[in-house]
Amino acid sequence: DAPLAIDAKASSSALVLSTGDLRAKGGVAAQAKIEGQGERWSGPFSLDLTRAELDFANGTMRKAVGTRATLEGALANDGKGTRADYELRVRNAEAKGAFTTHPRTRLELEAKPFDVAGWEEIVPALADYAPTGRVALEKLVFATEPSSLTGAIALSGVTLRRERPDAPIAIDGHLDAKGTSLVPRALFATVGAARWAVTGQISDLFGARRLALRLATPAPVESNAVFSLVDGLRDSVFGALDLDLALALPLAGPAASQPALDRLSGDVRFQIGGDEQGGRLRGVSLLKTAFDRFGALGYAALLALPAKRGKSIDEYYSEKFQVARATFRVENGEARTQDFEVVHDEYTAKLRGGIGLSDLALDMRGELVISDRLDAALAGTQA
């Protein structure tokens, strides 16, 4: 019950600290002025780790010497637990909040919008994405026993560039923390000219962690803007695209050790064309491909068409189609379909089979249903 009075300053140019997941090395300066009696005490404190190198969770987050990192505020103990009201400054981000230990450990954090450019220095996982844009933390609260997270993360023009700097991904909207899950709210992702509405959730944040994501086009977009993101499909598919992907991906646990494409599962639905312009597969005629399978007999039939029907063979070899549509089931590194349909003026191709996700290898079979006009043209070649 004796009166308590502490006025302390400490500094070190070569601190080595290891506690839990945190490692610190280098310069540190701290001070506190605590007054009270018995178990009740309070006072201001400050901590400056700018001259220190920090590592959290084996490199998940890190800070180099010289990058700003300061913490200051007020401490208080009421005999039941400790509370710290604080202001945290890391790099260009400024946050404030509170930390309490009673009745449960609770950490509150709020930060005004800050630019994320250069934050790959703090979060190495961002190194391949060269992030730009602004992020804000809206009343995030982490609590233990049981672990939960509430609040929101606001993203404004957050742009990620990976291997294709000419096709960045721009993200706008919110991620709401709801206990053990993160849920998108009015979240949109823009890739080139294609804009996607993003829904779904990351569930079991403090356990297995599973991503369930749905991407849908609010309005049709140009196919080439999407398919050109895949090098093997650049400038090959054209037409208005309506796309809906509902995919799941385990992020932790035994399944997370497998390649991402192997553990991806879900459903994909798309339609290209269906309007006045239709669609186009550059350099591809499914009819020509089909007749190639018949060899010389197929060519003999087609070469006779101009003489017999007065029609150019190019009309039947057109790259254009009215509509292409399909639904795919994704699992085990492959997307499989039973209803892939491409409708041309004079024939319809119906396909079934699979596409390898890693190499886009096709394994499909199907049938070609020809129109009465094309059937009559082919019959005329046999007269």
Side-chain angles (χ1 to χ4, degrees):
D1 295 330
L4 177 67
I6 299 174
D7 189 351
K9 294 182 180 180
S11 64
S12 170
S13 60
L15 172 73
V16 177
L17 174 67
S18 176
T19 173
D21 288 332
L22 179 64
R23 307 286 184 271
K25 182 179 180 181
V28 60
Q31 64 181 46
K33 187 175 183 180
I34 305 297
E35 296 179 344
Q37 187 166 356
E39 295 181 345
R40 296 178 179 273
W41 47 264
S42 63
F45 75 95
S46 67
L47 180 65
D48 190 341
L49 294 168
T50 299
R51 295 183 297 112
E53 177 184 338
L54 303 179
D55 183 291
F56 179 74
N58 293 320
T60 301
M61 298 183 70
R62 66 188 182 193
K63 185 196 78 68
V65 174
T67 300
R68 182 179 71 163
T70 64
L71 181 68
E72 60 182 30
L75 289 166
N77 191 300
D78 62 1
K80 296 180 180 180
T82 302
R83 177 184 177 92
D85 294 288
Y86 65 86
E87 293 184 3
L88 173 67
R89 297 176 178 86
V90 178
R91 205 173 185 275
N92 62 323
E94 298 185 0
K96 62 180 180 179
F99 174 77
T100 57
T101 62
H102 182 79
R104 60 194 289 207
T105 300
R106 177 184 171 95
L107 176 66
E108 302 174 12
L109 186 64
E110 188 166 9
K112 294 181 179 179
F114 61 92
D115 196 335
V116 297
W119 267 75
E120 58 268 30
E121 298 175 5
I122 304 293
V123 184
L126 296 175
D128 292 337
Y129 299 94
T132 57
R134 297 175 70 79
V135 171
L137 308 180
E138 300 179 351
K139 297 181 180 178
L140 282 180
V141 178
F142 171 72
T144 62
E145 299 177 355
S147 296
S148 68
L149 183 69
T150 58
I153 302 171
L155 308 172
S156 179
V158 173
T159 301
L160 306 175
R161 296 170 174 83
R162 186 160 177 149
E163 298 173 356
R164 294 281 304 281
D166 60 328
I169 301 174
I171 305 172
D172 291 274
H174 287 76
L175 285 173
D176 291 333
K178 297 186 175 182
T180 60
S181 62
L182 280 176
V183 181
R185 169 166 53 94
L187 190 68
F188 293 89
T190 303
V191 184
R195 188 167 185 259
W196 313 80
V198 182
T199 57
Q201 66 174 338
I202 300 176
S203 58
D204 199 6
L205 281 176
F206 309 103
R209 296 198 307 278
R210 180 178 177 83
L211 172 65
L213 188 66
R214 182 177 181 184
L215 297 174
T217 49
V221 300
E222 171 52 45
S223 297
N224 190 48
V226 176
F227 288 102
S228 285
L229 298 176
V230 181
D231 288 335
L233 298 176
R234 183 186 286 267
D235 296 329
S236 61
V237 186
F238 300 86
L241 171 66
D242 180 15
L243 184 62
D244 191 339
L245 302 90
L247 301 172
L249 182 70
L251 302 176
S257 62
Q258 302 175 8
L261 292 179
D262 289 345
R263 63 179 189 267
L264 193 67
S265 62
D267 298 290
V268 177
R269 179 194 61 79
F270 80 87
Q271 176 175 301
I272 301 172
D275 55 8
E276 293 182 359
Q277 286 72 36
R280 181 167 69 92
L281 290 171
R282 192 186 70 171
V284 176
S285 166
L286 293 179
L287 184 65
K288 182 178 184 302
T289 300
F291 273 88
D292 283 348
R293 303 283 293 185
F294 288 101
L297 180 61
Y299 281 114
L302 288 175
L303 287 172
L305 285 177
K308 293 289 185 178
R309 305 292 299 172
K311 301 293 183 182
S312 169
I313 195 171
D314 291 339
E315 178 182 350
Y316 300 98
Y317 274 0
S318 175
E319 301 174 346
K320 295 183 178 181
F321 56 84
Q322 295 177 4
V323 63
R325 52 192 167 222
T327 56
F328 285 88
R329 176 63 188 172
V330 177
E331 56 189 352
N332 300 322
E334 188 180 34
R336 298 198 65 81
T337 180
Q338 296 294 323
D339 62 359
F340 197 150
E341 183 178 66
V342 184
V343 180
H344 288 254
D345 289 339
E346 301 299 340
Y347 62 92
T348 298
K350 298 183 178 182
L351 304 172
R352 57 192 176 275
I355 302 174
L357 298 183
S358 61
D359 56 7
L360 299 182
L362 292 175
D363 179 16
M364 288 194 172
R365 292 169 174 78
E367 59 187 16
L368 209 62
V369 180
I370 63 176
S371 69
D372 291 341
R373 191 169 78 121
L374 181 55
D375 180 54
L378 293 175
T381 67
Q382 299 171 1

